[in-house]
Amino acid sequence: MHLPSVLSLLGAAALAAAQAGNVTTGKLGDAREVRNNPVIGETWVATFDSAAVKGTVTAVAQPVGINYTIAVTGLAVEKGPYKYHVHLRAVPESGNCTDTGGHLDSYVRGDSPPCESSLPQTCEVGDLSGKYGTVAGPDVKKAFNDPYTAMNIIQLGYIGNRSIVFHDASSARIACATLKKVEVAAAP
Ligand SMILES: *[C@@H]1O[C@H](CO)[C@@H](O)[C@H](O)[C@H]1NC(C)=O
Ligand SMILES: *[C@@H]1O[C@H](CO)[C@@H](O)[C@H](O)[C@H]1NC(C)=O
Ligand SMILES: *[C@@H]1O[C@H](CO)[C@@H](O)[C@H](O)[C@H]1NC(C)=O
Ligand SMILES: *[C@@H]1O[C@H](CO)[C@@H](O)[C@H](O)[C@H]1NC(C)=O
Ligand SMILES: [Cu+2]
């Protein structure tokens, strides 16, 4: 079979699944694209600095959604693959990742069944690995645009002062860091 016909069959299958209602989406519907970030280029960074896991997840406001760059080291290969999400709350002083709460899930989908990555608008907004793929260790470099997370505080999907959490294959929260705004010095 030619590649184009395979692709069109896959497309038709995804459409059929969506039409048949087999794809789980949010109780509030599919996530909408974010097109009202106040400052394009506004940057928030989650900095990981535990004994094992070090590095950053950088989020930069775009005309549509947010661009993420993951640059972390020290994810033990044998415990992967790793999931990563935007969680609701900042990491407390104690560093306890449990206290970051659940996933950012503005459209109320829940994480079960796992989301369909070909239909990212149906995923929990904060389920970045569900949408863009899990990562293996030990060192990760990965970049993607997510149209559904926001830097506009009035918008569903706002990520400010929330956190990024990595989970190992057992779902244990092995590293977490608060997203902090990078303040740009005022122009002279
Ligand atoms: C959707 O679900 C129905 C009922 O569970 C099943 O019969 C059908 O094959 C499914 N369709 C697809 C495309 O998965
Ligand atoms: C982290 O917090 C959870 C819930 O608050 C608690 O059950 C757990 O024992 C804490 N873990 C550590 C290492 O303190
Ligand atoms: C944002 O991410 C997309 C997809 O990875 C990429 O094509 C685009 O160049 C990125 N934009 C910026 C400003 O980095
Ligand atoms: C984010 O956290 C900073 C520092 O803790 C605080 O000054 C700021 O008011 C918070 N912003 C929002 C929108 O919660
Ligand atoms: Cu998570």
Side-chain angles (χ1 to χ4, degrees), residues 12 15 17 20 34 37 74 85 90 93 118 120 134 136 157 170:
L15 190 64
V34 172
N37 286 321
H85 312 121
E93 290 284 324
S118 65
T134 56
S170 78

Side-chain angles (χ1 to χ4, degrees), residues 13 16-17 20 22:
N22 297 30

Side-chain angles (χ1 to χ4, degrees), residues 10 13-15 17-18 22-25 109-111 113-124 127 129-132 148:
L10 288 174
L15 190 64
N22 297 30
V23 174
T24 302
T25 191
R109 181 198 185 279
D111 60 4
C115 93
E116 176 57 62
S117 60
S118 65
L119 296 169
Q121 69 276 22
T122 68
C123 298
E124 289 179 300
D127 184 6
S129 56
K131 291 186 270 191
Y132 308 109
Y148 312 106

